[in-house]
Amino acid sequence: MKLKLFGKKSIAALSVVFCLAAGCGFSSVTLDDAYDVFDTSSAYGIGSEPVAVFGFSSDIAVPESDTIDNDAVDTGLAEASLICDLSTNNILCSKNVYEQLYPASTTKILTALVVLRNCSDLDATLTVSENALALETGSSVAGLAVGDVITVRDALYGMMMASGNDAAVALAEYISGTTSAFADLMNDTANSIGATNSHFVNPNGLHDADHYTTAYDLYLIFNEAIKNETFYDIVTCREYSASYQDSTGASVSKTWNSTCRYMAGTATAPDNVTVLGAKTGTTSTAGSCLVLLSENASGKKYISVALGATTRDDVYSLMNQLMSLENE
């Protein structure tokens, strides 16, 4: 099964370093068509014996094509979508999974993963800068103020649950000093888990023409993130209360609720399906985007991704149709 990379930036070749089992050490080779999970080194002219080459981990889905039709799903409701059975790594239905699109606040899944990988003490505190609040009008925020002192853990909840763009910038500055340096970490992390058809320039997903991903890359990022226990706790939380200090040292209390309609109880999943966790994303350019972790009555878990729906109603209608496949 070959994964083809398409998009704005032509990828002519990928340099991959393989450790050869025959004891020859490390050899570097440039492959025009990397990432065949069933291929061997001999297929690429590396040595005379077929030593297994794995471009991706065996615990992820690698679709043969970017679209897998299902008559029960109106994939026209969004620009791109997919649903993957995590127990089998089979993609049940998909559309345009390799098309580069704007992710809006689903970006924050990767932001959270980068923070969790680069912060050893989630109870350490950060101070909110003026830059963290320099956001476009109408931007979703966690309600932080300049000079607020808040733990990394609480800022993560504010970013993921309230989709706080202010919290995203504050976390990026805490980890890397600047959002541009943090974006470098985001791209390195995405590439390391196989999400090579994406490019990120900020931690919150506010529109930038050079900030894009694919439905497949978002699946890869989310699939990796939910392996982290703290991320799983955050993304499956429906309501969270935080206490921190403002710039004068006075106590501030905030309660954040999930922006996902399923988590908030204003949308209903199909019968015998439970939405465990979610991240929403919406901008005027990206449209409505949604990433879900769900579970059917048998305990099988699924990841669903939708990018570029025209309205929020459309993205939830599509998700219900995708999740209905969990009962088949």
Side-chain angles (χ1 to χ4, degrees):
M1 295 184 290
K2 296 281 181 91
L3 169 62
K4 306 290 187 182
L5 299 181
F6 302 97
K8 300 176 182 175
K9 298 188 177 180
S10 174
I11 303 176
L14 178 66
S15 294
V16 185
V17 176
F18 299 104
C19 178
L20 303 184
C24 299
F26 290 91
S27 297
S28 180
V29 62
T30 298
L31 307 180
D32 289 333
D33 194 10
Y35 299 152
D36 188 327
V37 295
F38 298 107
D39 229 330
T40 64
S41 61
S42 58
Y44 299 109
I46 310 171
S48 58
E49 298 298 322
V51 180
V53 171
F54 295 96
F56 285 116
S57 168
S58 59
D59 67 347
I60 61 172
V62 184
E64 293 183 352
S65 64
D66 70 344
T67 297
I68 301 171
D69 292 323
N70 189 298
D71 292 340
V73 180
D74 179 7
T75 56
L77 291 168
E79 290 293 323
S81 59
L82 67 81
I83 181 169
C84 180
D85 181 342
L86 297 185
S87 66
T88 62
N89 298 318
N90 287 331
I91 292 181
L92 309 181
C93 180
S94 66
K95 175 189 175 183
N96 297 338
V97 294
Y98 303 133
E99 181 180 354
Q100 290 174 335
L101 296 165
Y102 301 122
S105 285
T106 60
T107 296
K108 291 163 185 163
I109 297 168
L110 178 58
T111 298
L113 178 61
V114 172
V115 170
L116 290 168
R117 286 187 171 186
N118 289 276
C119 181
S120 59
D121 182 7
L122 298 182
D123 294 317
T125 57
L126 59 85
T127 301
V128 178
S129 70
E130 290 186 9
N131 184 55
L133 273 65
L135 304 167
E136 61 188 51
T137 303
S139 181
S140 60
V141 295
L144 303 179
V146 175
D148 282 350
V149 178
I150 186 171
T151 66
V152 173
R153 187 188 312 276
D154 286 351
L156 281 167
Y157 275 94
M159 178 184 73
M160 291 294 291
M161 298 194 66
S163 205
N165 294 322
D166 46 358
V169 173
L171 286 163
E173 292 179 337
Y174 175 77
I175 295 296
S176 299
T178 66
T179 55
S180 59
F182 186 81
D184 290 339
L185 272 182
M186 295 174 72
N187 289 312
D188 289 345
T189 302
N191 288 336
S192 74
I193 58 181
T196 56
N197 211 19
S198 300
H199 186 256
F200 302 92
V201 300
N202 63 57
N204 48 34
L206 290 176
H207 180 68
D208 187 293
D210 205 30
H211 186 103
Y212 52 85
T213 190
T214 69
Y216 181 68
D217 280 4
L218 262 184
Y219 150 75
L220 291 175
I221 293 165
F222 192 59
N223 183 60
E224 182 66 21
I226 59 176
K227 297 174 186 176
N228 182 288
E229 183 177 354
T230 301
F231 180 89
Y232 189 90
D233 289 344
I234 295 171
V235 82
T236 59
C237 186
R238 296 171 186 269
E239 181 179 288
Y240 183 81
S241 295
S243 295
Y244 54 93
Q245 293 182 329
D246 67 14
S247 59
T248 69
S251 179
V252 179
S253 295
K254 283 279 192 336
T255 297
W256 296 303
N257 295 285
S258 174
T259 56
C260 173
R261 291 180 180 179
Y262 296 114
M263 305 289 283
T266 57
T268 303
D271 290 344
N272 301 314
V273 175
T274 302
V275 173
L276 301 176
K279 184 68 198 80
T280 60
T282 305
T283 68
S284 58
T285 309
S288 289
C289 308
L290 186 57
V291 180
L292 296 181
L293 175 66
S294 57
E295 183 178 58
N296 68 11
S298 300
K300 295 173 66 175
K301 292 183 172 60
Y302 298 77
I303 289 176
S304 304
V305 179
L307 294 175
T310 302
T311 68
R312 285 187 176 89
D313 287 344
D314 283 350
V315 81
Y316 284 95
S317 177
L318 174 58
M319 282 300 192
N320 266 24
Q321 292 175 40
L322 290 171
M323 288 189 291
S324 291
L325 301 181
E326 299 179 27
N327 291 321
E328 294 183 358

